[in-house]
PDB file of all heavy atoms in Angstrom:
ATOM      1  N   GLN A 213      41.584   2.892  -7.650  1.00  0.00           N
ATOM      2  CA  GLN A 213      41.502   1.443  -7.881  1.00  0.00           C
ATOM      3  C   GLN A 213      42.284   0.674  -6.825  1.00  0.00           C
ATOM      4  O   GLN A 213      41.883  -0.429  -6.425  1.00  0.00           O
ATOM      5  CB  GLN A 213      42.027   1.106  -9.279  1.00  0.00           C
ATOM      6  CG  GLN A 213      41.043   1.383 -10.388  1.00  0.00           C
ATOM      7  CD  GLN A 213      41.480   0.734 -11.692  1.00  0.00           C
ATOM      8  OE1 GLN A 213      42.096  -0.328 -11.711  1.00  0.00           O
ATOM      9  NE2 GLN A 213      41.163   1.380 -12.804  1.00  0.00           N
ATOM     10  N   HIS A 214      43.383   1.250  -6.385  1.00  0.00           N
ATOM     11  CA  HIS A 214      44.213   0.543  -5.401  1.00  0.00           C
ATOM     12  C   HIS A 214      43.505   0.454  -4.057  1.00  0.00           C
ATOM     13  O   HIS A 214      43.782  -0.458  -3.274  1.00  0.00           O
ATOM     14  CB  HIS A 214      45.575   1.225  -5.251  1.00  0.00           C
ATOM     15  CG  HIS A 214      46.581   0.395  -4.519  1.00  0.00           C
ATOM     16  ND1 HIS A 214      47.228  -0.670  -5.102  1.00  0.00           N
ATOM     17  CD2 HIS A 214      47.025   0.442  -3.233  1.00  0.00           C
ATOM     18  CE1 HIS A 214      48.035  -1.231  -4.220  1.00  0.00           C
ATOM     19  NE2 HIS A 214      47.935  -0.578  -3.077  1.00  0.00           N
ATOM     20  N   TRP A 215      42.606   1.424  -3.766  1.00  0.00           N
ATOM     21  CA  TRP A 215      41.831   1.315  -2.518  1.00  0.00           C
ATOM     22  C   TRP A 215      41.078  -0.008  -2.502  1.00  0.00           C
ATOM     23  O   TRP A 215      41.026  -0.685  -1.478  1.00  0.00           O
ATOM     24  CB  TRP A 215      40.808   2.443  -2.390  1.00  0.00           C
ATOM     25  CG  TRP A 215      41.346   3.828  -2.476  1.00  0.00           C
ATOM     26  CD1 TRP A 215      42.651   4.221  -2.365  1.00  0.00           C
ATOM     27  CD2 TRP A 215      40.583   5.017  -2.721  1.00  0.00           C
ATOM     28  NE1 TRP A 215      42.751   5.587  -2.529  1.00  0.00           N
ATOM     29  CE2 TRP A 215      41.501   6.100  -2.741  1.00  0.00           C
ATOM     30  CE3 TRP A 215      39.241   5.280  -2.909  1.00  0.00           C
ATOM     31  CZ2 TRP A 215      41.076   7.411  -2.951  1.00  0.00           C
ATOM     32  CZ3 TRP A 215      38.819   6.585  -3.126  1.00  0.00           C
ATOM     33  CH2 TRP A 215      39.734   7.634  -3.139  1.00  0.00           C
ATOM     34  N   VAL A 216      40.488  -0.347  -3.651  1.00  0.00           N
ATOM     35  CA  VAL A 216      39.654  -1.549  -3.744  1.00  0.00           C
ATOM     36  C   VAL A 216      40.508  -2.770  -4.017  1.00  0.00           C
ATOM     37  O   VAL A 216      40.449  -3.765  -3.293  1.00  0.00           O
ATOM     38  CB  VAL A 216      38.584  -1.385  -4.847  1.00  0.00           C
ATOM     39  CG1 VAL A 216      37.646  -2.585  -4.866  1.00  0.00           C
ATOM     40  CG2 VAL A 216      37.787  -0.094  -4.651  1.00  0.00           C
ATOM     41  N   LEU A 217      41.316  -2.710  -5.096  1.00  0.00           N
ATOM     42  CA  LEU A 217      42.139  -3.849  -5.503  1.00  0.00           C
ATOM     43  C   LEU A 217      43.530  -3.728  -4.898  1.00  0.00           C
ATOM     44  O   LEU A 217      44.488  -3.363  -5.564  1.00  0.00           O
ATOM     45  CB  LEU A 217      42.229  -3.918  -7.032  1.00  0.00           C
ATOM     46  CG  LEU A 217      40.925  -4.246  -7.760  1.00  0.00           C
ATOM     47  CD1 LEU A 217      41.083  -4.061  -9.265  1.00  0.00           C
ATOM     48  CD2 LEU A 217      40.483  -5.672  -7.455  1.00  0.00           C
ATOM     49  N   GLY A 218      43.623  -4.004  -3.611  1.00  0.00           N
ATOM     50  CA  GLY A 218      44.944  -3.948  -2.981  1.00  0.00           C
ATOM     51  C   GLY A 218      44.880  -3.630  -1.496  1.00  0.00           C
ATOM     52  O   GLY A 218      45.545  -4.271  -0.686  1.00  0.00           O
ATOM     53  N   CYS A 219      44.074  -2.612  -1.128  1.00  0.00           N
ATOM     54  CA  CYS A 219      44.041  -2.179   0.267  1.00  0.00           C
ATOM     55  C   CYS A 219      42.918  -2.823   1.085  1.00  0.00           C
ATOM     56  O   CYS A 219      43.074  -3.027   2.285  1.00  0.00           O
ATOM     57  CB  CYS A 219      43.909  -0.656   0.334  1.00  0.00           C
ATOM     58  SG  CYS A 219      45.366   0.227  -0.267  1.00  0.00           S
ATOM     59  N   LEU A 220      41.790  -3.105   0.455  1.00  0.00           N
ATOM     60  CA  LEU A 220      40.667  -3.689   1.196  1.00  0.00           C
ATOM     61  C   LEU A 220      41.067  -5.028   1.829  1.00  0.00           C
ATOM     62  O   LEU A 220      41.707  -5.848   1.171  1.00  0.00           O
ATOM     63  CB  LEU A 220      39.477  -3.933   0.265  1.00  0.00           C
ATOM     64  CG  LEU A 220      38.396  -2.862   0.168  1.00  0.00           C
ATOM     65  CD1 LEU A 220      37.277  -3.349  -0.751  1.00  0.00           C
ATOM     66  CD2 LEU A 220      37.827  -2.482   1.525  1.00  0.00           C
ATOM     67  N   PRO A 221      40.685  -5.267   3.083  1.00  0.00           N
ATOM     68  CA  PRO A 221      40.942  -6.576   3.698  1.00  0.00           C
ATOM     69  C   PRO A 221      40.245  -7.684   2.898  1.00  0.00           C
ATOM     70  O   PRO A 221      39.247  -7.442   2.219  1.00  0.00           O
ATOM     71  CB  PRO A 221      40.320  -6.442   5.095  1.00  0.00           C
ATOM     72  CG  PRO A 221      40.194  -4.980   5.333  1.00  0.00           C
ATOM     73  CD  PRO A 221      40.004  -4.344   3.997  1.00  0.00           C
ATOM     74  N   PHE A 222      40.761  -8.897   3.007  1.00  0.00           N
ATOM     75  CA  PHE A 222      40.228 -10.016   2.227  1.00  0.00           C
ATOM     76  C   PHE A 222      38.729 -10.216   2.466  1.00  0.00           C
ATOM     77  O   PHE A 222      37.962 -10.434   1.528  1.00  0.00           O
ATOM     78  CB  PHE A 222      40.983 -11.305   2.570  1.00  0.00           C
ATOM     79  CG  PHE A 222      40.430 -12.521   1.886  1.00  0.00           C
ATOM     80  CD1 PHE A 222      40.670 -12.740   0.537  1.00  0.00           C
ATOM     81  CD2 PHE A 222      39.647 -13.442   2.583  1.00  0.00           C
ATOM     82  CE1 PHE A 222      40.156 -13.857  -0.110  1.00  0.00           C
ATOM     83  CE2 PHE A 222      39.121 -14.555   1.954  1.00  0.00           C
ATOM     84  CZ  PHE A 222      39.375 -14.763   0.599  1.00  0.00           C
ATOM     85  N   SER A 223      38.287 -10.128   3.710  1.00  0.00           N
ATOM     86  CA  SER A 223      36.872 -10.365   4.027  1.00  0.00           C
ATOM     87  C   SER A 223      35.955  -9.393   3.297  1.00  0.00           C
ATOM     88  O   SER A 223      34.835  -9.742   2.919  1.00  0.00           O
ATOM     89  CB  SER A 223      36.645 -10.254   5.531  1.00  0.00           C
ATOM     90  OG  SER A 223      37.051  -8.975   6.010  1.00  0.00           O
ATOM     91  N   HIS A 224      36.425  -8.170   3.081  1.00  0.00           N
ATOM     92  CA  HIS A 224      35.639  -7.167   2.361  1.00  0.00           C
ATOM     93  C   HIS A 224      35.797  -7.342   0.857  1.00  0.00           C
ATOM     94  O   HIS A 224      34.820  -7.279   0.100  1.00  0.00           O
ATOM     95  CB  HIS A 224      36.091  -5.756   2.759  1.00  0.00           C
ATOM     96  CG  HIS A 224      35.760  -5.386   4.170  1.00  0.00           C
ATOM     97  ND1 HIS A 224      36.284  -6.048   5.259  1.00  0.00           N
ATOM     98  CD2 HIS A 224      34.949  -4.406   4.670  1.00  0.00           C
ATOM     99  CE1 HIS A 224      35.823  -5.495   6.377  1.00  0.00           C
ATOM    100  NE2 HIS A 224      35.008  -4.495   6.048  1.00  0.00           N
ATOM    101  N   MET A 225      37.031  -7.599   0.431  1.00  0.00           N
ATOM    102  CA  MET A 225      37.295  -7.685  -1.001  1.00  0.00           C
ATOM    103  C   MET A 225      36.597  -8.872  -1.640  1.00  0.00           C
ATOM    104  O   MET A 225      36.128  -8.811  -2.781  1.00  0.00           O
ATOM    105  CB  MET A 225      38.812  -7.773  -1.237  1.00  0.00           C
ATOM    106  CG  MET A 225      39.209  -7.709  -2.716  1.00  0.00           C
ATOM    107  SD  MET A 225      38.636  -6.212  -3.547  1.00  0.00           S
ATOM    108  CE  MET A 225      37.873  -6.885  -5.014  1.00  0.00           C
ATOM    109  N   VAL A 226      36.494  -9.976  -0.927  1.00  0.00           N
ATOM    110  CA  VAL A 226      35.882 -11.164  -1.508  1.00  0.00           C
ATOM    111  C   VAL A 226      34.373 -10.953  -1.683  1.00  0.00           C
ATOM    112  O   VAL A 226      33.764 -11.477  -2.618  1.00  0.00           O
ATOM    113  CB  VAL A 226      36.205 -12.412  -0.648  1.00  0.00           C
ATOM    114  CG1 VAL A 226      35.366 -12.464   0.616  1.00  0.00           C
ATOM    115  CG2 VAL A 226      36.048 -13.680  -1.464  1.00  0.00           C
ATOM    116  N   ARG A 227      33.753 -10.138  -0.822  1.00  0.00           N
ATOM    117  CA  ARG A 227      32.342  -9.801  -1.021  1.00  0.00           C
ATOM    118  C   ARG A 227      32.170  -8.889  -2.237  1.00  0.00           C
ATOM    119  O   ARG A 227      31.185  -8.989  -2.965  1.00  0.00           O
ATOM    120  CB  ARG A 227      31.784  -9.113   0.231  1.00  0.00           C
ATOM    121  CG  ARG A 227      31.557 -10.043   1.392  1.00  0.00           C
ATOM    122  CD  ARG A 227      30.375 -10.991   1.149  1.00  0.00           C
ATOM    123  NE  ARG A 227      29.103 -10.262   1.226  1.00  0.00           N
ATOM    124  CZ  ARG A 227      28.281 -10.094   0.193  1.00  0.00           C
ATOM    125  NH1 ARG A 227      28.560 -10.609  -0.982  1.00  0.00           N
ATOM    126  NH2 ARG A 227      27.149  -9.432   0.343  1.00  0.00           N
ATOM    127  N   VAL A 228      33.149  -8.008  -2.450  1.00  0.00           N
ATOM    128  CA  VAL A 228      33.129  -7.177  -3.666  1.00  0.00           C
ATOM    129  C   VAL A 228      33.271  -8.061  -4.898  1.00  0.00           C
ATOM    130  O   VAL A 228      32.581  -7.874  -5.904  1.00  0.00           O
ATOM    131  CB  VAL A 228      34.259  -6.121  -3.624  1.00  0.00           C
ATOM    132  CG1 VAL A 228      34.325  -5.346  -4.946  1.00  0.00           C
ATOM    133  CG2 VAL A 228      34.057  -5.160  -2.447  1.00  0.00           C
ATOM    134  N   LEU A 229      34.157  -9.063  -4.808  1.00  0.00           N
ATOM    135  CA  LEU A 229      34.374  -9.968  -5.941  1.00  0.00           C
ATOM    136  C   LEU A 229      33.105 -10.751  -6.270  1.00  0.00           C
ATOM    137  O   LEU A 229      32.816 -11.010  -7.442  1.00  0.00           O
ATOM    138  CB  LEU A 229      35.525 -10.926  -5.631  1.00  0.00           C
ATOM    139  CG  LEU A 229      35.997 -11.842  -6.766  1.00  0.00           C
ATOM    140  CD1 LEU A 229      36.527 -11.015  -7.941  1.00  0.00           C
ATOM    141  CD2 LEU A 229      37.069 -12.810  -6.276  1.00  0.00           C
ATOM    142  N   ASP A 230      32.331 -11.118  -5.248  1.00  0.00           N
ATOM    143  CA  ASP A 230      31.058 -11.810  -5.480  1.00  0.00           C
ATOM    144  C   ASP A 230      30.207 -11.042  -6.485  1.00  0.00           C
ATOM    145  O   ASP A 230      29.646 -11.608  -7.422  1.00  0.00           O
ATOM    146  CB  ASP A 230      30.264 -11.933  -4.165  1.00  0.00           C
ATOM    147  CG  ASP A 230      30.884 -12.903  -3.178  1.00  0.00           C
ATOM    148  OD1 ASP A 230      31.723 -13.723  -3.585  1.00  0.00           O
ATOM    149  OD2 ASP A 230      30.517 -12.829  -1.981  1.00  0.00           O
ATOM    150  N   VAL A 231      30.105  -9.739  -6.261  1.00  0.00           N
ATOM    151  CA  VAL A 231      29.241  -8.893  -7.095  1.00  0.00           C
ATOM    152  C   VAL A 231      29.929  -8.523  -8.402  1.00  0.00           C
ATOM    153  O   VAL A 231      29.301  -8.474  -9.458  1.00  0.00           O
ATOM    154  CB  VAL A 231      28.834  -7.619  -6.316  1.00  0.00           C
ATOM    155  CG1 VAL A 231      27.828  -6.810  -7.116  1.00  0.00           C
ATOM    156  CG2 VAL A 231      28.257  -7.977  -4.954  1.00  0.00           C
ATOM    157  N   TYR A 232      31.236  -8.296  -8.340  1.00  0.00           N
ATOM    158  CA  TYR A 232      32.015  -7.901  -9.514  1.00  0.00           C
ATOM    159  C   TYR A 232      31.900  -8.925 -10.648  1.00  0.00           C
ATOM    160  O   TYR A 232      31.754  -8.569 -11.823  1.00  0.00           O
ATOM    161  CB  TYR A 232      33.481  -7.721  -9.097  1.00  0.00           C
ATOM    162  CG  TYR A 232      34.488  -7.639 -10.214  1.00  0.00           C
ATOM    163  CD1 TYR A 232      34.783  -6.431 -10.839  1.00  0.00           C
ATOM    164  CD2 TYR A 232      35.185  -8.779 -10.623  1.00  0.00           C
ATOM    165  CE1 TYR A 232      35.726  -6.354 -11.850  1.00  0.00           C
ATOM    166  CE2 TYR A 232      36.133  -8.716 -11.628  1.00  0.00           C
ATOM    167  CZ  TYR A 232      36.400  -7.498 -12.240  1.00  0.00           C
ATOM    168  OH  TYR A 232      37.337  -7.447 -13.237  1.00  0.00           O
ATOM    169  N   LEU A 233      31.945 -10.211 -10.295  1.00  0.00           N
ATOM    170  CA  LEU A 233      31.879 -11.251 -11.328  1.00  0.00           C
ATOM    171  C   LEU A 233      30.495 -11.343 -11.976  1.00  0.00           C
ATOM    172  O   LEU A 233      30.354 -11.915 -13.055  1.00  0.00           O
ATOM    173  CB  LEU A 233      32.285 -12.604 -10.746  1.00  0.00           C
ATOM    174  CG  LEU A 233      33.764 -12.737 -10.368  1.00  0.00           C
ATOM    175  CD1 LEU A 233      34.036 -14.075  -9.695  1.00  0.00           C
ATOM    176  CD2 LEU A 233      34.669 -12.563 -11.590  1.00  0.00           C
ATOM    177  N   VAL A 234      29.494 -10.769 -11.315  1.00  0.00           N
ATOM    178  CA  VAL A 234      28.141 -10.747 -11.889  1.00  0.00           C
ATOM    179  C   VAL A 234      27.873  -9.427 -12.608  1.00  0.00           C
ATOM    180  O   VAL A 234      27.350  -9.401 -13.725  1.00  0.00           O
ATOM    181  CB  VAL A 234      27.073 -10.950 -10.784  1.00  0.00           C
ATOM    182  CG1 VAL A 234      25.664 -10.882 -11.383  1.00  0.00           C
ATOM    183  CG2 VAL A 234      27.284 -12.282 -10.080  1.00  0.00           C
ATOM    184  N   GLU A 235      28.275  -8.326 -11.986  1.00  0.00           N
ATOM    185  CA  GLU A 235      27.898  -6.999 -12.493  1.00  0.00           C
ATOM    186  C   GLU A 235      29.009  -6.249 -13.208  1.00  0.00           C
ATOM    187  O   GLU A 235      28.746  -5.277 -13.921  1.00  0.00           O
ATOM    188  CB  GLU A 235      27.375  -6.146 -11.334  1.00  0.00           C
ATOM    189  CG  GLU A 235      26.161  -6.754 -10.646  1.00  0.00           C
ATOM    190  CD  GLU A 235      25.543  -5.807  -9.628  1.00  0.00           C
ATOM    191  OE1 GLU A 235      25.517  -4.588  -9.880  1.00  0.00           O
ATOM    192  OE2 GLU A 235      25.092  -6.290  -8.582  1.00  0.00           O
ATOM    193  N   GLY A 236      30.261  -6.636 -13.003  1.00  0.00           N
ATOM    194  CA  GLY A 236      31.351  -6.005 -13.733  1.00  0.00           C
ATOM    195  C   GLY A 236      31.962  -4.811 -13.023  1.00  0.00           C
ATOM    196  O   GLY A 236      31.808  -4.598 -11.818  1.00  0.00           O
ATOM    197  N   TYR A 237      32.637  -3.989 -13.808  1.00  0.00           N
ATOM    198  CA  TYR A 237      33.506  -2.906 -13.346  1.00  0.00           C
ATOM    199  C   TYR A 237      32.784  -1.888 -12.469  1.00  0.00           C
ATOM    200  O   TYR A 237      33.374  -1.280 -11.581  1.00  0.00           O
ATOM    201  CB  TYR A 237      34.077  -2.204 -14.584  1.00  0.00           C
ATOM    202  CG  TYR A 237      35.328  -1.400 -14.380  1.00  0.00           C
ATOM    203  CD1 TYR A 237      36.575  -1.934 -14.696  1.00  0.00           C
ATOM    204  CD2 TYR A 237      35.294  -0.090 -13.906  1.00  0.00           C
ATOM    205  CE1 TYR A 237      37.730  -1.195 -14.543  1.00  0.00           C
ATOM    206  CE2 TYR A 237      36.441   0.656 -13.745  1.00  0.00           C
ATOM    207  CZ  TYR A 237      37.663   0.100 -14.064  1.00  0.00           C
ATOM    208  OH  TYR A 237      38.802   0.825 -13.896  1.00  0.00           O
ATOM    209  N   LYS A 238      31.498  -1.701 -12.725  1.00  0.00           N
ATOM    210  CA  LYS A 238      30.735  -0.664 -12.026  1.00  0.00           C
ATOM    211  C   LYS A 238      30.829  -0.796 -10.515  1.00  0.00           C
ATOM    212  O   LYS A 238      30.867   0.203  -9.790  1.00  0.00           O
ATOM    213  CB  LYS A 238      29.277  -0.735 -12.472  1.00  0.00           C
ATOM    214  CG  LYS A 238      28.373   0.308 -11.827  1.00  0.00           C
ATOM    215  CD  LYS A 238      26.941   0.158 -12.309  1.00  0.00           C
ATOM    216  CE  LYS A 238      26.335  -1.147 -11.845  1.00  0.00           C
ATOM    217  NZ  LYS A 238      24.902  -1.250 -12.207  1.00  0.00           N
ATOM    218  N   ILE A 239      30.883  -2.034 -10.011  1.00  0.00           N
ATOM    219  CA  ILE A 239      30.921  -2.239  -8.571  1.00  0.00           C
ATOM    220  C   ILE A 239      32.193  -1.644  -7.966  1.00  0.00           C
ATOM    221  O   ILE A 239      32.196  -1.188  -6.820  1.00  0.00           O
ATOM    222  CB  ILE A 239      30.815  -3.750  -8.218  1.00  0.00           C
ATOM    223  CG1 ILE A 239      30.791  -3.971  -6.698  1.00  0.00           C
ATOM    224  CG2 ILE A 239      31.932  -4.546  -8.846  1.00  0.00           C
ATOM    225  CD1 ILE A 239      29.655  -3.299  -5.983  1.00  0.00           C
ATOM    226  N   LEU A 240      33.284  -1.615  -8.725  1.00  0.00           N
ATOM    227  CA  LEU A 240      34.523  -1.033  -8.211  1.00  0.00           C
ATOM    228  C   LEU A 240      34.335   0.453  -7.935  1.00  0.00           C
ATOM    229  O   LEU A 240      34.807   0.984  -6.922  1.00  0.00           O
ATOM    230  CB  LEU A 240      35.673  -1.251  -9.197  1.00  0.00           C
ATOM    231  CG  LEU A 240      35.983  -2.708  -9.577  1.00  0.00           C
ATOM    232  CD1 LEU A 240      37.210  -2.762 -10.483  1.00  0.00           C
ATOM    233  CD2 LEU A 240      36.209  -3.567  -8.339  1.00  0.00           C
ATOM    234  N   TYR A 241      33.647   1.153  -8.850  1.00  0.00           N
ATOM    235  CA  TYR A 241      33.347   2.570  -8.631  1.00  0.00           C
ATOM    236  C   TYR A 241      32.473   2.748  -7.391  1.00  0.00           C
ATOM    237  O   TYR A 241      32.727   3.619  -6.558  1.00  0.00           O
ATOM    238  CB  TYR A 241      32.594   3.144  -9.835  1.00  0.00           C
ATOM    239  CG  TYR A 241      33.437   3.447 -11.044  1.00  0.00           C
ATOM    240  CD1 TYR A 241      33.136   2.887 -12.281  1.00  0.00           C
ATOM    241  CD2 TYR A 241      34.508   4.330 -10.974  1.00  0.00           C
ATOM    242  CE1 TYR A 241      33.885   3.177 -13.407  1.00  0.00           C
ATOM    243  CE2 TYR A 241      35.272   4.635 -12.099  1.00  0.00           C
ATOM    244  CZ  TYR A 241      34.952   4.055 -13.311  1.00  0.00           C
ATOM    245  OH  TYR A 241      35.692   4.358 -14.426  1.00  0.00           O
ATOM    246  N   ARG A 242      31.433   1.930  -7.303  1.00  0.00           N
ATOM    247  CA  ARG A 242      30.508   2.060  -6.182  1.00  0.00           C
ATOM    248  C   ARG A 242      31.237   1.896  -4.839  1.00  0.00           C
ATOM    249  O   ARG A 242      31.037   2.681  -3.901  1.00  0.00           O
ATOM    250  CB  ARG A 242      29.404   0.998  -6.289  1.00  0.00           C
ATOM    251  CG  ARG A 242      28.313   1.338  -7.295  1.00  0.00           C
ATOM    252  CD  ARG A 242      27.176   0.329  -7.159  1.00  0.00           C
ATOM    253  NE  ARG A 242      26.041   0.681  -7.981  1.00  0.00           N
ATOM    254  CZ  ARG A 242      25.096   1.552  -7.639  1.00  0.00           C
ATOM    255  NH1 ARG A 242      25.178   2.177  -6.474  1.00  0.00           N
ATOM    256  NH2 ARG A 242      24.076   1.802  -8.438  1.00  0.00           N
TER     257      ARG A 242
END
Side-chain angles (χ1 to χ4, degrees):
Q213 281 194 33
H214 193 76
W215 304 345
V216 185
L217 293 171
C219 292
L220 266 183
F222 176 75
S223 58
H224 292 63
M225 187 58 229
V226 77
R227 286 289 288 115
V228 175
L229 187 62
D230 290 343
V231 186
Y232 166 86
L233 291 175
V234 178
E235 300 188 37
Y237 201 98
K238 181 181 66 175
I239 183 60
L240 303 184
Y241 283 124
R242 282 189 174 277

